[in-house]
């Protein structure tokens, strides 16, 4: 039976656009500290009319890592809250909380110093930790099976967009009449604006949407339920989480290792680029902000290249989805691993080469979104939010460590040898993490995704244990 594909542009695309914007505005708030800290400790290179603070490298490292102290804590609760209250209200609370916390920074740092800045960043992290489990659950709810890869990747390009804007606009704002406080004001404003759009247009499921057409609703639900032989009009049920099955699943552990390795390598570059380019390459703040943003602008562009390429490979059946995931993840991990080693041998007299290498590293790494980030939905659409909560808890514990590790290793920002150690460690993690994913990773829908999995497992156990089965029957009898 041929099913209508629904409108070319429908409510599912509006939901994906809202997810893209949510990631963008939250990443602006998440990563603008890298630029803000440089501006706050070297006001002459931006706007000298605003206060300057004498923070050493370890204190700055604490500021950069403090966001993740809160962020990793609420990843798992984020998956639970999304199942309990829905993505709409949970994502709203996540974004509005982070946005309003950003507003506190200019009014409190003057008397509270770097410690209060860390405290506010922890609060922002606690709120934003709820976000990604909801995003993956929302993708699973709204994306037809054949469009999951494309729509999921489109939503996730907000990561690159938000990072670019955090770095590029952060430098411009800091040098403007608003000074470094303007970074916080803009972060708050865009977050609140997204919240208004979200409350108006978002819906937890296609069936809850008041704007969706019947044709699109049937297309989405029929596609998602094609393998389940269930009525598409059936109300979604609360499905119990098969914890033991998940925790003993090799594909799940492969996903967790891959995302943790990605987090280690990427966070090292992401959090430390402003300091690295300022210290080793001797660039002033204006150039620093521009060139710090360049790798992430390239990453943003490359994410669409990967998206188009994956669509072509899948539609022409050149590669299976499993092949696409592992090929793209290998490119995204192993090429930057080699590039990181090369970056460590570049000095101040080779600024152009350093920029080219760093831009290539980050740009090629964009393939990790299609490579492994969307793998949660492959393994289990029903438990995508829970899986993302667990995976992100591990992955986002790592950025707590990486800036602190840099603070311990890099005692002199101008010492290229110290940076070589940092980049070499990241390269090793990238390499081994992807190897584990190649061996054990999978795109097969896991048996424990079935809503009746726990019930079936219990029945099987009863059949294997006649005494227990008889006991249960006797209890039911009486």
């Amino acid at each position: 039976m041929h099913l209508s594909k629904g409108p070319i542009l429908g409510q599912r695309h509006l939901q994906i656009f809202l997810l893209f914007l949510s990631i963008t505005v939250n990443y602006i708030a998440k990563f603008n500290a890298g630029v803000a800290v440089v501006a706050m400790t070297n006001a002459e290179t931006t706007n000298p009319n605003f206060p300057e603070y004498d923070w050493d490298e370890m204190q700055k490292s604490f500021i950069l890592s403090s966001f993740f102290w809160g962020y990793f804590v609420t990843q798992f609760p984020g998956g639970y809250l999304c199942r309990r209250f829905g993505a709409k209200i949970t994502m709203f609370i996540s974004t509005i909380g982070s946005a309003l916390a950003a507003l506190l920074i200019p009014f409190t740092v003057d008397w509270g110093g770097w410690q209060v800045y860390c405290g506010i960043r922890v609060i922002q992290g606690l709120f934003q930790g709820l976000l990604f489990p909801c995003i993956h659950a929302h993708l699973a709810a709204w994306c037809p099976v054949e469009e999951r890869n494309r729509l999921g990747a489109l939503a996730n390009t907000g990561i690159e967009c938000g990072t670019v804007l955090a770095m590029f606009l952060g430098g411009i704002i800091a040098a403007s009449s608003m000074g470094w406080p303007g970074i916080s004001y803009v972060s708050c404003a865009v977050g609140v604006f997204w919240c208004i759009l979200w409350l108006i247009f978002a819906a937890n499921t296609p069936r809850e949407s008041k704007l969706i057409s019947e044709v699109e609703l049937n297309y989405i639900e029929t596609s998602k339920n094609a393998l389940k032989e269930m009525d598409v009009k059936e109300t979604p049920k609360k499905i119990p989480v098969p914890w033991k099955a998940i925790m003993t699943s090799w594909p799940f552990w492969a996903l967790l290792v891959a995302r943790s390795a990605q987090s280690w390598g990427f966070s090292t570059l992401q959090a430390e680029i402003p300091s690295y380019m300022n210290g080793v390459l001797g660039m002033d703040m204006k150039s620093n902000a521009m060139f710090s943003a360049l790798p992430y602008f390239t990453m943003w562009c490359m994410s669409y290249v990967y998206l188009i390429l994956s669509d072509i490979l899948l539609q022409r059946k050149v590669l299976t989805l499993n092949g696409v995931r592992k090929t793209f993840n290998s490119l995204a991990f192993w090429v930057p691993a080699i590039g990181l080693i090369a970056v460590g041998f570049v000095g101040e007299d080779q600024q152009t080469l350093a920029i080219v290498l760093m831009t290539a590293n980050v740009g090629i790494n964009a393939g990790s979104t299609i490579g492994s980030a969307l793998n949660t939905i492959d393994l289990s659409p029903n438990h995508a939010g829970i899986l993302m909560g667990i995976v992100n808890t591990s992955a986002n514990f790592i950025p707590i460590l990486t800036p602190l590790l840099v603070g311990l290793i890099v005692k002199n920002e101008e010492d290229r040898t110290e940076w070589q150690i940092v980049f070499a460690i990241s390269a090793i993690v990238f390499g081994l993490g992807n190897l584990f994913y190649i061996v054990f990773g999978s795109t097969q829908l896991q048996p424990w995704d079935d809503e009746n999995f726990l019930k079936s497992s219990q029945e099987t156990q009863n059949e294997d244990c006649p005494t227990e089965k008889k006991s249960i029957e006797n209890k039911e009898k009486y």
Side-chain angles (χ1 to χ4, degrees):
M1 179 181 176
H2 176 74
L3 294 171
S4 169
K5 294 293 184 182
I8 296 175
L9 285 177
Q11 282 302 304
R12 67 191 187 280
H13 300 102
L14 176 59
Q15 300 300 312
I16 297 308
F17 180 62
L18 289 171
L19 292 182
F20 164 82
L21 291 180
S22 76
I23 298 172
T24 299
V25 300
N26 279 285
Y27 263 64
I28 289 172
K30 183 177 182 179
F31 286 114
N32 58 26
V35 175
V37 165
V38 177
M40 294 167 78
T41 55
N42 193 358
E44 288 186 2
T45 60
T46 52
N47 189 332
N49 296 324
F50 291 87
E52 181 177 303
Y53 304 97
D54 186 22
W55 297 332
D56 62 31
E57 290 308 313
M58 201 63 193
Q59 290 167 343
K60 288 190 279 187
S61 292
F62 275 125
I63 292 169
L64 293 177
S65 71
S66 58
F67 177 94
F68 297 94
W69 303 350
Y71 193 60
F72 94 94
V73 169
T74 50
Q75 291 292 326
F76 180 73
Y80 170 77
L81 291 173
C82 186
R83 284 169 66 92
R84 178 70 177 82
F85 300 106
K88 184 170 183 176
I89 187 64
T90 310
M91 287 179 66
F92 170 78
I93 292 171
S94 171
T95 304
I96 197 71
S98 174
L100 295 178
L103 197 59
L104 298 175
I105 295 170
F107 301 102
T108 57
V109 171
D110 206 39
W111 58 263
W114 67 272
Q115 294 94 335
V116 77
Y117 197 174
C118 283
I120 292 170
R121 295 282 294 167
V122 170
I123 292 170
Q124 285 186 289
L126 285 168
F127 278 110
Q128 285 203 31
L130 306 174
L131 188 71
F132 267 94
C134 291
I135 286 173
H136 278 237
H138 206 59
L139 286 171
W142 274 91
C143 294
V145 173
E146 54 268 41
E147 296 182 17
R148 274 182 189 155
N149 189 64
R150 182 188 311 121
L151 296 181
L154 281 171
N156 276 274
T157 58
I159 294 173
E160 293 81 29
C161 181
T163 307
V164 168
L165 293 177
M167 292 190 164
F168 183 65
L169 292 182
I172 294 174
I173 293 168
S176 72
S177 59
M178 289 191 290
W180 60 259
I183 296 174
S184 295
Y185 302 148
V186 172
S187 292
C188 178
V190 295
V192 171
F193 176 70
W194 176 85
C195 286
I196 295 170
L197 292 178
W198 181 248
L199 288 178
I200 295 172
F201 296 108
N204 288 319
T205 64
R207 189 157 292 281
E208 285 185 22
S209 175
K210 296 179 180 178
L211 303 174
I212 195 169
S213 68
E214 191 68 27
V215 171
E216 186 178 16
L217 175 63
N218 289 336
Y219 166 52
I220 295 172
E221 293 194 332
T222 303
S223 171
K224 289 193 300 178
N225 295 325
L227 301 177
K228 299 182 181 180
E229 298 181 358
M230 61 187 285
D231 185 353
V232 299
K233 297 185 182 298
E234 183 179 333
T235 303
K237 295 179 287 189
K238 298 293 183 183
I239 304 171
V241 182
W243 292 111
K244 183 179 178 181
I246 291 174
M247 292 303 171
T248 55
S249 167
W250 280 108
F252 166 73
W253 281 103
L255 170 62
L256 187 144
V257 168
R259 297 316 299 166
S260 298
Q262 159 68 9
S263 181
W264 184 291
F266 193 59
S267 66
T268 300
L269 284 174
Q270 201 165 41
E272 300 302 331
I273 276 181
S275 296
Y276 173 76
M277 300 187 81
N278 191 44
V280 177
L281 304 184
M283 295 183 175
D284 61 31
M285 180 58 192
K286 191 172 183 180
S287 296
N288 190 333
M290 181 174 66
F291 287 123
S292 292
L294 181 61
Y296 300 100
F297 178 74
T298 305
M299 191 180 197
W300 189 15
C301 296
M302 282 297 295
S303 65
Y304 293 106
V305 172
Y306 280 118
L307 174 60
I308 294 168
L309 185 58
S310 68
D311 258 6
I312 292 172
L313 292 173
L314 289 171
Q315 287 176 6
R316 296 185 180 179
K317 298 184 179 179
V318 176
L319 288 174
T320 62
L321 182 59
N322 189 57
V324 167
R325 293 259 188 265
K326 292 181 178 179
T327 300
F328 282 24
N329 211 66
S330 297
L331 285 172
F333 280 36
W334 284 349
V335 175
I338 297 168
L340 277 168
I341 300 294
V343 166
F345 289 93
V346 175
E348 186 177 352
D349 58 335
Q350 297 174 300
Q351 289 186 1
T352 303
L353 177 60
I355 292 166
V356 169
L357 282 172
M358 196 165 288
T359 301
N361 286 347
V362 177
I364 291 170
N365 186 249
S368 69
T369 297
I370 290 175
S372 53
L374 298 175
N375 192 218
T376 55
I377 307 174
D378 301 329
L379 300 180
S380 176
N382 283 326
H383 305 297
I386 291 291
L387 294 187
M388 193 60 181
I390 301 169
V391 169
N392 258 17
T393 298
S394 172
N396 288 289
F397 177 73
I398 291 191
I400 297 174
L401 304 177
T402 47
L404 300 179
L405 182 67
V406 171
L408 290 172
I409 295 173
V410 181
K411 300 299 182 184
N412 176 7
E413 270 195 335
E414 299 177 5
D415 189 337
R416 180 161 55 94
T417 305
E418 293 176 346
W419 284 103
Q420 286 178 333
I421 298 171
V422 172
F423 293 142
I425 292 171
S426 296
I428 292 169
V429 173
F430 260 152
L432 295 179
N434 184 63
L435 184 61
F436 192 85
Y437 183 66
I438 289 174
V439 175
F440 296 107
S442 173
T443 55
Q444 292 296 313
L445 184 70
Q446 297 301 293
W448 39 265
D449 176 71
D450 193 303
E451 61 187 36
N452 296 315
F453 175 78
L454 289 176
K455 183 179 178 182
S456 299
S457 298
Q458 185 62 47
E459 289 174 352
T460 301
Q461 288 177 8
N462 293 340
E463 289 172 2
D464 293 339
C465 184
T467 303
E468 183 179 346
K469 182 180 180 183
K470 186 174 181 180
S471 174
I472 292 172
E473 289 174 348
N474 287 336
K475 286 180 182 178
E476 290 175 350
K477 183 177 179 181
Y478 292 105

